[in-house]
Amino acid sequence: MSLRRKSCDACFKGRRKCDLGYPTCATCRKTRKICHYAYPPIQQTRSAAESTTAQTASPSMSTGTCSMTELLAAIDNSTPDSLFDADAFPDFFGHNTQFSEDDTTPSLGQFTSGVSQSSVVPAGAPTSPSIHIYLGCLGEVQPIQSSMPAWQWVINELKSYPREFAQRAEAIFLHRELYRDSLPQAIRAAYGVSSTQCLTSETNQELLFRIIDAEVLELLKPSHNTEILEELARLQAFVFYQTIRFFHGGLGQRSMAEQQQSLVMTMALKLLSRSQTEFGDSEAGNWRTWILAECVRRTAIVVYFLYGINSVFRDGICVGLHTLVKLPLSTTISSWGSESNHSHHGRGTTIPYETFLSHWLASTPRKLDPFEKLLLVPCQGLDTVELYDLAA
């Protein structure tokens, strides 16, 4: 039995029974007091009725047992909200969050340690979980960060992608050969915004986000009969814009990125479905085709990581976790490095993310590809992955 106190500070001091309502219990709402928990209770963010509705709309995805083929087949028949049921996941990869009386830092996966547990909300400010957790004691916007090395490493990786794109014309999900023959307007604009973000200051930050708003409006315009490369460019542009909004913007920018969550995730899954249908076995003989298909797969993974990180920070759960673990990964990641590697290994196959994780536990230590490291650190820990890398 856990000995940690469950009631909020106000009820504990007043020796009153606390209903454990979060973020504000019934007593604190009634007395208009600031409600603070030493150990915030973990609760579902949706009502049972809403969960039942989502399960009815998309049963194969809510059970977490569907295959990738079943997952993609259900996209066109499901509403966006039913695809991304967070349900009762308290952390990213299912680890239980534990606290002790002398250690207030969550275990790997909870990812709320970057926000002070003693944070309070300024008078008159909203008290919903999606707002108050961002605010410090003086009302300043808290950065998305964590004191845990693994999570902070993942955050820093995600934050670096716009800068990496601006400086090197590539990113972990965007191969430098991808747009060699054709440069879509969406990716041209994303490159300009990413380059501007590298030079952001207090005086030009407002203009930067106005430009992002305008570019997102362009991306939201209906597109018909577009090439898959064009659709991928639109999705990758979204990734850069949402990354800048989450990690470099204020509450307004984060809120706008969250409002587009279902849209961007749906784009990623539909693009995956289209890629598997259009390319088929053609990936085997053509490296450029494999690069395009691999960029689609990696971009979808990064989309889920990006929104998963934000949702764990905000609500303590990972949105779309059981969809994330079904996303496909290539078994020939080394082909990313050169065409000769692709010629040597061929297309290979794809496996679900969860299968990749289970196979890694039994594999021989070797030098990890940066993308592999991104996939492994959140669930295995930074120290474990780095030791594996050094032992190669």
Side-chain angles (χ1 to χ4, degrees):
M1 180 180 71
S2 175
L3 298 178
R4 70 187 189 191
R5 170 165 58 84
K6 296 181 179 181
S7 61
C8 71
D9 292 349
C11 290
F12 178 75
K13 292 178 181 178
R15 297 184 181 278
R16 294 184 294 267
K17 181 175 177 59
C18 183
D19 70 348
L20 304 183
Y22 189 77
T24 307
C25 72
T27 302
C28 288
R29 284 199 302 270
K30 184 177 180 180
T31 58
R32 298 183 180 276
K33 292 183 178 180
I34 293 173
C35 190
H36 172 256
Y37 289 90
Y39 306 101
I42 298 175
Q43 297 183 348
Q44 292 187 3
T45 59
R46 309 191 320 163
S47 67
E50 291 174 321
S51 294
T52 301
T53 300
Q55 292 171 4
T56 302
S58 184
S60 62
M61 278 174 281
S62 62
T63 61
T65 60
C66 64
S67 66
M68 189 61 205
T69 302
E70 293 170 330
L71 182 69
L72 295 174
I75 295 173
D76 292 330
N77 298 321
S78 304
T79 60
D81 288 341
S82 70
L83 292 174
F84 317 115
D85 178 20
D87 284 329
F89 292 98
D91 52 35
F92 209 150
F93 287 104
H95 304 287
N96 292 325
T97 303
Q98 298 180 357
F99 296 82
S100 64
E101 292 292 342
D102 58 352
D103 183 10
T104 58
T105 301
S107 62
L108 177 61
Q110 176 60 21
F111 192 53
T112 58
S113 59
V115 180
S116 170
Q117 296 295 338
S118 61
S119 297
V120 297
V121 184
T127 58
S128 64
S130 61
I131 297 296
H132 90 283
I133 197 170
Y134 288 136
L135 302 179
C137 59
L138 299 179
E140 71 274 13
V141 177
Q142 295 293 304
I144 298 179
Q145 63 184 20
S146 170
S147 62
M148 294 175 290
W151 281 107
Q152 193 57 54
W153 184 91
V154 174
I155 294 167
N156 290 337
E157 279 293 297
L158 294 173
K159 288 172 64 175
S160 71
Y161 294 153
R163 180 179 295 274
E164 182 181 359
F165 181 43
Q167 294 178 340
R168 302 176 55 194
E170 63 181 344
I172 205 169
F173 58 94
L174 192 160
H175 198 280
R176 63 168 53 250
E177 296 292 326
L178 180 62
Y179 299 110
R180 180 72 67 182
D181 298 330
S182 176
L183 195 59
Q185 192 279 331
I187 214 67
R188 296 199 302 269
Y191 183 80
V193 170
S194 298
S195 299
T196 303
Q197 194 277 320
C198 295
L199 304 173
T200 301
S201 64
E202 292 184 2
T203 56
N204 66 4
Q205 187 177 55
E206 181 184 356
L207 178 59
L208 171 65
F209 287 113
R210 286 173 58 192
I211 293 173
I212 290 178
D213 292 342
E215 293 301 331
V216 167
L217 286 177
E218 287 294 318
L219 295 177
L220 292 176
K221 290 181 179 179
S223 59
H224 303 286
N225 301 321
T226 54
E227 297 291 330
I228 192 169
L229 187 67
E230 292 277 347
E231 289 301 312
L232 177 57
R234 289 158 60 91
L235 181 61
Q236 290 178 333
F238 255 122
V239 171
F240 289 123
Y241 299 151
Q242 307 302 52
T243 299
I244 294 171
R245 280 175 161 171
F246 276 133
F247 298 117
H248 303 284
L251 286 179
Q253 293 299 323
R254 295 186 200 175
S255 177
M256 293 179 71
E258 288 169 357
Q259 290 173 19
Q260 294 156 3
Q261 172 180 299
S262 293
L263 170 68
V264 179
M265 284 179 156
T266 302
M267 286 176 62
L269 291 182
K270 287 188 173 182
L271 195 59
L272 268 176
S273 179
R274 180 178 176 182
S275 172
Q276 292 185 347
T277 301
E278 290 190 12
F279 296 143
D281 294 333
S282 63
E283 288 186 49
N286 190 313
W287 183 58
R288 298 293 293 274
T289 302
W290 182 89
I291 286 294
L292 176 54
E294 178 68 359
C295 284
V296 171
R297 290 189 286 265
R298 292 192 179 198
T299 303
I301 288 282
V302 171
V303 165
Y304 270 78
F305 263 60
L306 184 62
Y307 281 108
I309 286 286
N310 179 69
S311 65
V312 173
F313 167 76
R314 183 191 64 199
D315 296 325
I317 58 176
C318 177
V319 65
L321 174 60
H322 46 270
T323 302
L324 171 62
V325 297
K326 299 297 181 184
L327 295 182
L329 299 175
S330 174
T331 58
T332 55
I333 292 180
S334 62
S335 295
W336 185 269
S338 68
E339 187 171 1
S340 61
N341 287 342
H342 180 262
S343 300
H344 177 71
H345 295 293
R347 174 193 177 184
T349 59
T350 59
I351 57 175
Y353 186 9
E354 60 185 354
T355 303
F356 167 82
L357 294 174
S358 63
H359 286 182
W360 181 80
L361 293 173
S363 63
T364 303
R366 55 186 171 74
K367 188 66 177 176
L368 291 172
D369 176 273
F371 183 60
E372 289 181 287
K373 193 172 182 179
L374 174 68
L375 298 172
L376 292 168
V377 167
C379 58
Q380 300 298 333
L382 183 60
D383 291 342
T384 301
V385 175
E386 289 185 338
L387 285 174
Y388 178 95
D389 208 13
L390 289 173

